[in-house]
Amino acid sequence: MSVIREALYEQGSSRRRSAPSGRSPRWGLLDLCLTLLVVAAMITRTPTGGLLTYGWERLRGHSADLPTLTAWFSSGAAAPPAEILDALPAPLPAVPDALPEPWRTATHSSLANRIPHPLRDRLKAEGQPVDAEHALLAIDELFRQTEDPTLALEQAALGSDAVTRAVGRAAAAGEDEPQRFESHRRFLSASAADEADRFVGGTVALATVLDLAWPLQVEHRVTSPYGERMHPTLKVRKFHDGVDLSVPIGTEIHAAQAGKLAVVGKGGASGNYVVMDHGFGVRTSYCHLSETPLARGTEVERGDVIALSGNTGRSTGPHLHYGVRIAGKTVDPERFRVTKP
Amino acid sequence: MLRSLLTIDGLVARTRPAWGWLGQVALCWLGAHLAADTLDDLLGGWLAGCGIAWPEPEQPLIAGTWAAVVIELVVAGWVLWVRSRSLDQLRTAKEWTRRWSIRAIVAPVAFGVFGLAGAWVLAMAVEDGLAPLWPAVAGPAGTVTGLVIAARLAVPGAWRTVVGTPVPRRRWDGALAAAPVLLLTVLAARHGLPVWGWLP
Ligand SMILES: [Zn+2]
C-alpha cells in the first residue's frame, strides 16, 4: 500500500517533493523504467507518437515524411499484392473436405507469393518441404479443425496461441463474437495485426473479389468502361472509377457479394446510392438508383436484391454505375466479372 | 550493493517531478487511442447517414477516420495541457470544492479511464512480447505489468488532476473540451477495459 500512497502524493508535484511522512522519495528506478516502457509504446502505437517522431526528426535536421495519421486506424483492410491482382489466379480443382472455394484458390495464390513464418516453422518441424502446395495442405488441416476459413488463415499466419490470446482479450472487453477477426484484431500485437492484415486480409479480400456476382441479371450494355474518359456531362477528361451499365429505371440490383449496407445515401453527383462493405476492405458501390428500400446496416447475402436502378444525380440516361474497391483503391469491375448475364 | 542501489533509486526519485508527468501523459494517449480506434467506424456510419450529399460514396467513411484522428489529437493536446496545469497541492476536500469547475470534474474521470485502458495496452504488449520466448510466464508477467502501471502511473495521474486542480476563471472552464474528451472516455471505458466480459 505504501507504494501506491507514495505515488499518489509524490509524482510530478513540483511543489512538494517528499511524502507526507517526511521520508525521502523512493521507487525512482521503477517509475523511470515504467515511464520509458509507456513512452516507447506510445511512440509506436499512436498517431500522436507518429507526429512527435516526425517533429523530432525535423528538429534534428533529418528529412522525414509526415506520417499518414489514418494508418493507425486500419481495420484489417490490406490489398492483395499488386502482382496477384494484375494476374488473377485460375480456380484450382475442387478438393473435398478442404478449404472451400474461392478461399482455396486465393490462399494458394497468396502462399505462392509468400509463406508466413509460423507456417514455415510448422512445415519445417513436421519435416515437410516449405512450398505453397504443402503450406496449403497445412491450412486445409487447420480448416478441418476450425471449420472457419478466416480463422484457419489467421492461425496459419500468426500461430494458434496469438489468436487465442486476442480472442480472450476481446471476450474480456465484452466485444460481440470475439472469435471474429474484426472483433479481436484490435487486441493483436502491432506486428501480428500487420501480418494478419497482409496474409488474412489480403487473402480473404482476394477470395471475396474472385467470387463477385454481377449486379445485373438482365440483358444490358456497358455504356462506359472503367478508366480515363471524356466525362459525358462535364466535357472534361476524368477518371471513371467504375462501369456504367445501361438498364431501364426500376431494374433489380443484386448484391455482388454477402455483406452489409455501409452507406445508403441521397443526393450529389451519385444520386441515390448504396455502398456495400464485404469485409477486409472490399467495398462495392451502386449509384444513380431510383429506390433504396434497405436501411444502412442491413446484412444481405450474395445476389440479394438491394435496390432498383434509376437516373438520379449527375446522369445522362437510366443506368447503373457499379464500382469495386479493394483497400480503398478502385479496380475495374469487369475484370472480376465471373457471372455473365 | 543494495545500499548503493537504494541511493541511486532515491536520487532518481528526486528527479521525478521533471519526468513523472511524461509517463502519465503517454499512458493517457495510449488509452485514448484505443478508444479512438473504435470511433472511426462509428463516425463513418453516422456521417453516411446524416443527410450530407457526399459527392463520392466512399467519402463519409474516409471523413469518419479523419474525424477520429482530429478528435484523438485534440484530446491528446487537452491531456497534456491539463496535466501541465495540475501542479498545485490541495490538502482538503474543501479546498477542492472552492475550485470546482467542469474541468475539475472531467479531468480525473478521463485520466483515470484513459490511464487504466493504457495500462491494459501495456499489459497486452508485455504478454505478446514474452510469449514467443517464455510462454508460461507471459500471461502473469503481462498482468503484473498492467497492475503496477495502473498503481504507479494511471491512478496517480488521475489523482494529480484532483489535488492539482488550479483555480478556475469560471465554473464553465473546460466545457468546450468536455464533449470530445467525454466521448473518448466513454469509448475507452466500454471498449478498452478488460472487465465487461466478466459482467453478466
Ligand atoms: Zn459511371
Side-chain angles (χ1 to χ4, degrees), chain A residues 2-4 6-17 24-35 37-39 41-43 45-49 51-52 67-70 72-75 161-162 165 169-176 185-190 238 241 262-270 273-275 283-285 287 296 325 328, chain B residues 5-6 8-10 12-14 16-17 19-24 26-27 29-30 33-34 36-38 40-41 45-46 48-49 51-58 60-62 65-66 68-69 72-73 76 83 87-89 91 120-128 131-132 135 145 148-149 151-153 155-156 159-160 163 190-198:
Chain A
S2 78
V3 178
I4 297 173
E6 225 175 7
L8 288 179
Y9 279 103
E10 281 170 11
Q11 277 202 1
S13 167
S14 59
R15 307 266 166 96
R16 190 187 179 92
R17 289 174 188 225
S24 55
R26 286 186 304 163
W27 302 106
L29 289 175
L30 174 68
D31 287 346
L32 188 62
C33 290
L34 293 178
T35 297
L37 189 67
V38 170
V39 169
M42 181 275 292
I43 283 173
R45 284 159 186 260
T46 68
T48 316
L51 275 182
L52 289 177
T68 311
L69 296 176
T70 50
W72 280 270
F73 290 79
S74 62
S75 50
D161 291 349
R165 283 200 299 277
R169 291 163 182 175
E175 302 293 336
D176 293 335
R185 183 195 173 281
R186 265 178 338 112
F187 299 101
L188 290 168
S189 72
K238 206 167 178 285
D241 62 4
V263 184
V264 178
K266 267 189 200 324
S270 303
Y273 65 88
V274 168
V275 179
R283 295 203 179 115
T284 52
S285 54
C287 303
R296 179 165 59 89
R325 274 175 200 257
Chain B
L5 198 67
L6 281 173
I8 297 169
D9 184 67
V12 175
R14 269 172 221 286
R16 197 158 34 203
W19 48 263
W21 59 274
L22 191 61
Q24 294 168 359
L27 191 66
W29 288 352
L30 277 169
H33 178 65
L34 199 62
D37 205 5
T38 64
D40 56 337
D41 293 339
W46 179 78
I52 298 174
W54 297 93
E56 293 285 336
E58 286 281 329
L61 305 164
I62 299 165
T65 305
W66 276 106
V69 171
E72 179 177 344
L73 292 179
R83 182 60 185 77
L87 301 175
D88 280 0
Q89 191 69 38
R91 275 152 229 272
W120 192 33
V121 171
L122 262 299
M124 292 191 279
V126 167
E127 188 184 5
D128 288 329
T145 309
V148 172
I149 287 178
R152 294 297 297 181
L153 294 178
V155 177
W159 184 243
R160 181 104 293 282
V163 295
R190 172 58 193 86
H191 295 287
L193 299 178
V195 294
W196 300 101
W198 300 337

Side-chain angles (χ1 to χ4, degrees), chain A residues 176-196:
Chain A
D176 293 335
E177 301 183 76
Q179 67 283 359
R180 281 186 61 204
F181 179 69
E182 293 91 327
S183 302
H184 67 248
R185 183 195 173 281
R186 265 178 338 112
F187 299 101
L188 290 168
S189 72
S191 58
D194 281 349
E195 174 67 9

Side-chain angles (χ1 to χ4, degrees), chain B residues 39-123:
Chain B
L39 180 63
D40 56 337
D41 293 339
L42 287 178
L43 284 176
W46 179 78
L47 285 170
C50 73
I52 298 174
W54 297 93
E56 293 285 336
E58 286 281 329
Q59 283 173 351
L61 305 164
I62 299 165
T65 305
W66 276 106
V69 171
V70 170
I71 289 174
E72 179 177 344
L73 292 179
V74 166
V75 171
W78 176 86
V79 164
L80 185 63
W81 181 77
V82 164
R83 182 60 185 77
S84 73
R85 291 182 35 85
S86 299
L87 301 175
D88 280 0
Q89 191 69 38
L90 304 186
R91 275 152 229 272
T92 62
K94 212 171 181 170
E95 276 184 286
W96 185 87
T97 45
R98 276 204 297 271
R99 294 181 171 200
W100 84 265
S101 66
I102 291 183
R103 174 246 173 249
I105 295 163
V106 170
V109 178
F111 271 66
V113 172
F114 289 156
L116 291 176
W120 192 33
V121 171
L122 262 299

Side-chain angles (χ1 to χ4, degrees), chain A residues 229 240 243-244 288 319 321:
Chain A
R229 66 160 183 183
H240 190 222
V243 285
D244 289 349
H288 314 299
H319 78 285
H321 170 100

